[in-house]
Amino acid sequence: MLKTILILTPQNVKQKSKITIMKKVLMLILLAVSVLAEAQIQTPSPSSAATVSSVIGLTDVKISYSRPKMKGRKIFGTGGDFLVPNGAIWRTGANNGTIVNFSDDVKVEGVDVKKGEYLLFSIPGATEWSIMLYSDLSLGGNTAKYDKTKEVAKFNVKPEKLTEKVETFTIGISDISDNNATGKIQLSWENTSVKFGVAVDFDSKVMKDIEAKTKVSSGAYVTAANYYLDNGKDLNKALEWINLGISTGNQSAFWNIYTKAKIQKALGDKKGAMATAQQSLDLAKKAEDDFGYIKQNEDLMKTLK
C-alpha cells in the first residue's frame, strides 16, 4: 500500500508560517472590531441637545443648543467655586456652543444684525451681562480662541432673579408684541434669567406684497384692508380695498362686511358703520355657523350709539 510522504522543504515551511501569521492578524482584526462595537454603545448625553424656534413678524428665529444641568453645582457667581464665574466668557450652553439663526435682517438690542447663523456667547455678571453674537461658527465652544474682531453684536443687559430654580439650562423665545414686531430671547438657569430683545421689520415686505398681489388677485383686497386697519395706515385706502374685496368676492361673507364696519367706525362714519354692521349681523344670523360674528357685530353696534 502506497503512503503519501510530506517532505518539508524551505518553501513549505515558509508558506505554513505565512498562513499562521495571517490567522493571527485576522483574529486581531476581529478582536478590534468587537472592541470598537462595544465602544459605540449609545448612552444619554449629560447635556441634551435642544432646538427652540418662533416666528417674529415674518422672520424665523431658531436656536440650537445643548442643555447642561446643575447637578448640585453652583452656577453663577464670583470665585472658583462657580461653574460659570462672573467676568468670564461663557459659550452659553454646553458642547459646541449655541447657534442662533435669523431668516431676515434684524435688530438685536438696537444693533443691526444681518440674516444668518451666529454663535451666542455671554459674560455673566452680578448686575450686568454682556451678550455677543459671533460670526465664525467653526469656533464652536472654544472660548480660549475667542476673537473680538468676529463679533457682529455686543450689548449689555440686566439679569433678573428667579423665584424658583431652573435645574436645566433653558433658552426660550418670549414676549412677542401684539403687532408682532418684537420678541425676546430668554436665558434661564439656576436662579438667574437674562432677556434680550429682537426687533424685525415686516412692514416694508408686506407693503410690497400688497402692491404686487392686489394687481393680480382680488382675494388680496380683504387682506390688504385688514392690514391697513390693524396697522393704522390710510383708512380711506382700507375702505377702498374692503369694498373691492366684497364686490369681487363672496358678497355674503359677513366677516368681510364686519371689517368694513370697523373701518367706517375708524373713519368717524358712525351712521355708515351702523348700517354695515346691521347688514353683517343679519347675514351672520342666517348662517349655519356665525363663528362668533353675531356677538362681535352686536358689541360693535353698542359702541356706535
Side-chain angles (χ1 to χ4, degrees):
M1 187 175 185
L2 294 175
K3 293 183 179 180
T4 302
I5 299 174
L6 178 62
I7 300 174
L8 294 177
T9 65
Q11 187 176 359
N12 288 338
V13 172
K14 191 174 182 181
Q15 264 186 328
K16 190 174 182 181
S17 177
K18 282 184 178 180
I19 292 171
T20 302
I21 291 172
M22 287 178 66
K23 285 182 178 180
K24 289 182 178 180
V25 170
L26 182 59
M27 287 296 294
L28 288 172
I29 292 173
L30 290 173
L31 181 61
V33 169
S34 175
V35 171
L36 184 61
E38 290 180 5
Q40 290 178 337
I41 293 174
Q42 291 186 333
T43 58
S45 171
S47 301
S48 57
T51 301
V52 60
S53 63
S54 185
V55 177
I56 302 176
L58 297 174
T59 301
D60 293 315
V61 180
K62 180 180 178 181
I63 305 169
S64 302
Y65 69 112
S66 294
R67 307 182 63 196
K69 298 174 178 61
M70 286 178 59
K71 295 182 178 179
R73 299 173 294 185
K74 296 179 180 179
I75 306 301
F76 302 116
T78 301
D81 293 338
F82 293 91
L83 182 65
V84 184
N86 289 339
I89 294 179
W90 180 40
R91 54 188 164 176
T92 319
N95 300 333
N96 288 324
T98 294
I99 296 177
V100 182
N101 184 298
F102 302 113
S103 66
D104 297 298
D105 296 351
V106 298
K107 284 183 180 291
V108 183
E109 285 294 317
V111 181
D112 290 322
V113 176
K114 295 292 184 183
K115 69 177 182 179
E117 290 186 316
Y118 303 95
L119 284 169
L120 176 65
F121 289 97
S122 57
I123 302 176
T127 59
E128 190 173 70
W129 279 43
S130 293
I131 306 292
M132 297 88 77
L133 294 178
Y134 194 85
S135 61
D136 184 3
L137 298 187
S138 67
L139 181 67
N142 187 6
T143 57
K145 293 187 177 181
Y146 189 90
D147 183 354
K148 290 185 178 181
T149 64
K150 295 180 179 180
E151 290 177 352
V152 298
K154 183 176 182 179
F155 47 87
N156 296 327
V157 291
K158 301 291 184 183
E160 297 178 358
K161 290 291 183 182
L162 297 172
T163 55
E164 295 185 11
K165 284 190 176 182
V166 177
E167 170 66 26
T168 305
F169 176 61
T170 302
I171 299 180
I173 301 172
S174 61
D175 301 346
I176 296 176
S177 61
D178 289 340
N179 67 355
N180 226 12
T182 61
K184 290 188 177 180
I185 294 175
Q186 181 178 12
L187 316 176
S188 304
W189 201 15
E190 197 182 34
N191 58 357
T192 299
S193 169
V194 174
K195 292 183 180 181
F196 56 93
V198 177
V200 302
D201 171 26
F202 58 83
D203 184 67
S204 58
K205 293 173 93 174
V206 173
M207 292 301 288
K208 286 179 182 178
D209 209 25
I210 287 174
E211 183 180 359
K213 297 290 177 58
T214 51
K215 291 177 181 178
V216 298
S217 171
S218 61
Y221 296 141
V222 174
T223 301
N226 276 290
Y227 186 76
Y228 271 48
L229 174 62
D230 293 341
N231 291 276
K233 295 188 176 293
D234 185 348
L235 291 173
N236 287 303
K237 191 66 177 178
L239 186 60
E240 179 185 334
W241 288 135
I242 198 64
N243 282 331
L244 283 168
I246 293 170
S247 64
T248 60
N250 177 7
Q251 296 185 24
S252 298
F254 47 84
W255 49 91
N256 292 338
I257 297 171
Y258 170 75
T259 296
K260 177 180 176 178
K262 289 199 298 179
I263 294 171
Q264 288 173 307
K265 177 188 175 183
L267 282 166
D269 180 10
K270 288 188 175 183
K271 184 178 180 180
M274 179 68 81
T276 303
Q278 185 64 58
Q279 181 189 1
S280 176
L281 177 61
D282 292 342
L283 289 168
K285 286 180 176 179
K286 294 176 183 177
E288 186 177 337
D289 190 339
D290 73 295
F291 305 109
Y293 276 89
I294 290 176
K295 185 177 187 311
Q296 289 187 66
N297 277 292
E298 289 174 343
D299 289 344
L300 176 61
M301 292 169 77
K302 289 177 184 176
T303 67
L304 297 171
K305 294 178 180 179

